[in-house]
Amino acid sequence: MDDLFDLDAVGQAEAVRAGRVSPRELAEAAIARIEAHDGEINAVVHRRFERALAEIDALPKEAPFRGVPTLLKDLGWSMAGEPYRAGSHVLDEVEVAQDGYGVTKLRRAGFVVLGRTNTPELGTAITTEPKAFGPTRNPYDTGYSPGGSSGGSAAAVAAGMVPVAAGGDGGGSIRIPASVCGLVGLKPSRGRVSYGPSAGEAWAGFSISGMLCRTVRDSAATLDVIAGMMPGDPYGAPAWPRTLAEEVGADPGRLRIGFLTRHPSGSVPADPDLRAAVTGAARLLESLGHDVEEGGPVALAEEDFALHFGTVVAVHVAADLRDIGRWRGKPVELDELETRNRILGATGRELGAVDYVASRDWIDGFRRRMAAWWESFDLLLTPSLGVAPFPLGWLPADDVSMARGRTNHAVAFSSPVNATGQPAISLPLHRTAAGLPVGVQLVAAAGREDVLIRIASQIEAAHPFRHTAIRHATGS
């Protein structure tokens, strides 16, 4: 059955429809894969194997992904009757009453949910090392981080446990793990995927749900499944003219693309692997007939961005802690949290409504200043992650000043796109000398995931992605 792990989700679904494999065989093979390899990786923190197998016979016969196994990030993807811990023990007493819309859509599409994946506490770190569940390890080198906050989902896909897994992105949390785990990670436009029915938005709209995948066609087809405005949502992204799956392989036309090998603020240390990744991608794009030139939005250099982004996040963390206290029936004490979230929660409680609104207003202006650049360009090319792949422990748990500085560097290219609500995709186009993946990010104008899928599929065809962690895990 090892050849199944070479198939992406679309390929596995096709194999089921053709009768080459049954949904039960797919699920059992994925379960065996998890049991064989997750002891080393620690990606799956909750397993629901028996329940998943019991649900297979009820799968809709015409579902497009009937029988394809998947995993859910243990943050933002609520599932009725299952635990929801968000990387923390403060949620141990919370019981989930209903599926989120994203889970409902995945299950209707025929996906078989095998469990939930590890995440940093409350999703506020760029590495997945929660004290509650221990660190998740990168399948390419188990001494390295798989990134965060969707690190468990990324590690599971990179190791071939499942072809796709659900994640979320509030400051780079899909693109960062995709970058260091050698995956395709698409952050959708703001409002593209509903946070209902339990919430209208997350982190003032900075955060959005999405999928970690190995192929562009999986990224397109799975976003087709989970996308769509639902009743009561505060806003929605503009509709595409056709499905994203139909954009795979479509001619992107001749695009004007700007690229950055260094952050325009000058405050982010340069790394030779990041420069090599971007310059290599720029040359590839130029060879494909696109107009490529160095440069990007001037607004990226604005020093006040980190302050206002941080203000919004801190206030929302404080509000989340209040809500958790209500769910479990007793307030969350700050000393129950890891140091990072203890400080975020305390800061958020101290900030006033005027501070919060002022930062929201500043971000609104920043969004307009950023958007102006896309009036002349189609895409921006940057590193996905502002630092090289890093080992476990690189983000110190108790040295808050060092952790904050390293985090700010790491998210320098990704978090501004969360603030603007634009779609962005990370593609695995480079490896370090040690064989660790390094991704590049392409950012499109708001609502234009279709442009990203066209260009990403063109790149994938010209430069096929290598997923060597899967072969390593099978011993072949």
Side-chain angles (χ1 to χ4, degrees), residues 99-235:
D99 287 355
Y101 288 141
V103 173
T104 297
K105 292 180 177 184
L106 285 176
R107 298 175 84 179
R108 285 178 181 168
F111 282 102
V112 178
V113 178
L114 298 180
R116 303 182 68 80
T117 60
N118 206 7
T119 184
E121 186 182 66
L122 306 183
T124 57
I126 58 166
T127 186
T128 302
E129 303 176 53
K131 290 182 179 179
F133 300 103
T136 296
R137 300 179 180 277
N138 191 316
Y140 282 89
D141 185 328
T142 54
Y144 275 72
S145 171
S149 62
S150 306
S153 288
V157 175
M161 297 178 194
V162 291
V164 296
D169 194 316
S173 290
I174 287 174
R175 291 158 290 157
I176 290 169
S179 177
V180 298
C181 289
L183 302 176
V184 177
L186 173 59
K187 182 199 87 68
S189 297
R190 180 170 301 170
R192 181 70 69 195
V193 182
S194 176
Y195 263 105
S198 61
E201 62 179 11
W203 284 9
F206 294 174
S207 185
I208 187 76
S209 296
M211 305 294 289
L212 279 301
C213 308
R214 296 199 302 264
T215 63
V216 174
R217 70 176 185 173
D218 270 5
S219 190
T222 55
L223 185 51
D224 281 335
V225 167
I226 62 174
M229 190 174 183
M230 300 299 289
D233 284 351
Y235 44 75

Side-chain angles (χ1 to χ4, degrees), residues 14 31 100 112 129 135 147 155 244-245 264 269 281 385 415 441 459 472:
E14 290 172 346
I31 289 169
V112 178
E129 303 176 53
L244 284 186
L385 174 65
S415 61
Q441 172 180 247
I459 290 170
H472 172 74

